């Protein structure tokens, strides 16, 4: 194992044991190149899903493909984008779906918090490698600048947010419900807890703001039938219960 080093070695630390264990995995160059990272420039050899960022709006007039009024459910908006290979991202608010040919993955500065009283959900396509673990309209919800503290079960150094998602989806030692990803250090912390599995008191204790470089990633592949309610929203630097919007979100 000592012969593995550099970008080809993923370091994993299991936090459930007293003794640290490290596992190195080879990331073959073919696997790394197979992930799409441009504006329709590379095919995805894995599978396409969506990542949600609630309470945010994407602004890119030149890349606006279509405005679809009368769209009452988030899942319908995602389906419109999923059916169009050119579509990379959507903005959704009840009654309006907007399709874009670009996304915040290429233009991060174009993604900004939505302004009260308008509540917007943004989502973009991501390419994940490996086997598709669930058949959901989106697989992860991201909360920028937040983290779930002190409940990690394992950690790893990865090369991208997508790689952190893949680790969570493919975790076999426990059911991964969420992850914290640091965009600067590449640290990916996996947990068998999330905001919905903790009591309100525990959520207030463990879930909170972090540095700007940390993203909280919550899997939508657990508790099927429950997560689609999307009852946690990051808005105005707070995470509020928005269960009253469940019917319109679908």
């Amino acid at each position: 194992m000592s012969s593995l080093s550099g970008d080809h070695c993923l370091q994993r630390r299991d936090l459930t044991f007293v003794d640290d264990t490290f596992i190195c995995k080879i990331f073959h160059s073919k696997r790394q190149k197979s992930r799409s990272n441009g504006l329709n420039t590379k095919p995805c050899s894995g599978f396409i899903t969506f990542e949600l960022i609630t309470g945010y709006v994407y602004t890119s007039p030149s890349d606006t493909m279509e405005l679809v009024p009368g769209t009452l459910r988030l899942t319908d908006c995602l389906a419109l984008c999923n059916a169009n290979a050119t579509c990379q991202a959507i903005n959704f608010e009840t009654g309006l779906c907007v399709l874009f040919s670009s996304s915040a993955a290429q233009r991060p500065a174009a993604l900004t918090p939505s302004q009260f009283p308008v509540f917007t959900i943004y989502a973009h396509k991501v390419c994940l490698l490996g086997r598709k673990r669930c058949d959901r309209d989106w697989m992860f919800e991201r909360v920028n600048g937040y983290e779930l503290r002190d409940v990690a079960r394992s950690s790893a150094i990865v090369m991208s947010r997508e790689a952190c998602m893949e680790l969570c989806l493919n975790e076999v030692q426990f059911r991964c419900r969420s992850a914290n990803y640091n965009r600067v250090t590449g640290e990916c912390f996996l947990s068998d807890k999330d905001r919905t599995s903790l009591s309100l008191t525990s959520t207030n204790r463990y879930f909170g703001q972090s540095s700007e470089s940390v993203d909280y990633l919550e899997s939508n592949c657990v508790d099927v039938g429950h997560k689609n309610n999307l009852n946690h929203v990051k808005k105005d630097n707070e995470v509020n219960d928005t269960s009253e919007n469940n019917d319109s979100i679908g």
Side-chain angles (χ1 to χ4, degrees), residues 85-109:
T86 304
C87 180
Q88 296 296 304
I90 61 101
N91 284 336
F92 172 78
E93 56 187 83
T94 302
L96 180 63
C97 175
V98 185
L99 309 184
F100 296 93
S101 60
S102 66
S103 75
Q106 297 86 33
R107 300 191 172 120

Side-chain angles (χ1 to χ4, degrees), residues 113-130:
S114 57
Q115 299 299 311
F116 184 82
V118 177
F119 166 63
T120 306
I121 297 175
Y122 165 81
H124 61 209
K125 289 178 177 177
V126 293
C127 173
L128 299 182
L129 307 181

Side-chain angles (χ1 to χ4, degrees), residues 56-118:
Y56 275 70
V57 61
Y58 185 68
T59 305
S60 184
S62 62
D63 297 323
T64 301
M65 296 172 54
E66 186 178 2
L67 280 72
V68 187
T71 308
L72 300 180
R73 297 176 8 134
L74 170 62
T75 51
D76 293 337
C77 187
L78 293 174
L80 289 172
C81 185
N82 194 45
N84 189 324
T86 304
C87 180
Q88 296 296 304
I90 61 101
N91 284 336
F92 172 78
E93 56 187 83
T94 302
L96 180 63
C97 175
V98 185
L99 309 184
F100 296 93
S101 60
S102 66
S103 75
Q106 297 86 33
R107 300 191 172 120
L111 187 67
T112 57
S114 57
Q115 299 299 311
F116 184 82
V118 177

Side-chain angles (χ1 to χ4, degrees), residues 133-166:
R133 298 292 177 178
C134 69
D135 187 21
R136 305 303 304 275
D137 295 292
W138 70 90
M139 282 197 176
F140 283 90
E141 179 192 355
R142 189 207 315 175
V143 183
N144 296 325
Y146 276 72
E147 66 178 340
L148 196 62
R149 305 185 185 95
D150 303 326
V151 292
R153 290 283 300 274
S154 69
S155 67
I157 303 298
V158 297
M159 301 175 68
S160 66
R161 183 186 297 108
E162 291 84 358
C164 188
M165 295 178 188
E166 290 163 3

Side-chain angles (χ1 to χ4, degrees), residues 177-215:
R177 303 179 70 98
S178 69
N180 297 328
Y181 174 69
N182 190 310
R183 299 188 300 275
V184 174
T185 65
E187 291 175 300
C188 173
F189 291 90
L190 306 184
S191 176
D192 58 355
K193 303 289 192 300
D194 62 20
R195 295 170 297 177
T196 61
S197 68
L198 295 170
S199 66
L200 180 60
T201 301
S202 295
T203 300
N204 291 338
R205 174 183 175 187
Y206 294 109
F207 184 71
Q209 282 186 293
S210 183
S211 68
E212 294 183 356
S213 63
V214 174
D215 296 325

Side-chain angles (χ1 to χ4, degrees), residues 52 54-55 71-78 92-95 119-121 137-138 141 226-233 241-250:
L52 260 58
T54 53
T71 308
L72 300 180
R73 297 176 8 134
L74 170 62
T75 51
D76 293 337
C77 187
L78 293 174
F92 172 78
E93 56 187 83
T94 302
F119 166 63
T120 306
I121 297 175
D137 295 292
W138 70 90
E141 179 192 355
H226 173 64
K227 288 288 186 81
N228 241 13
N229 288 336
L230 195 65
N231 61 346
H232 292 277
V233 177
D241 189 342
T242 59
S243 58
E244 67 270 17
N245 293 321
N246 290 347
D247 292 339
S248 63
I249 290 175

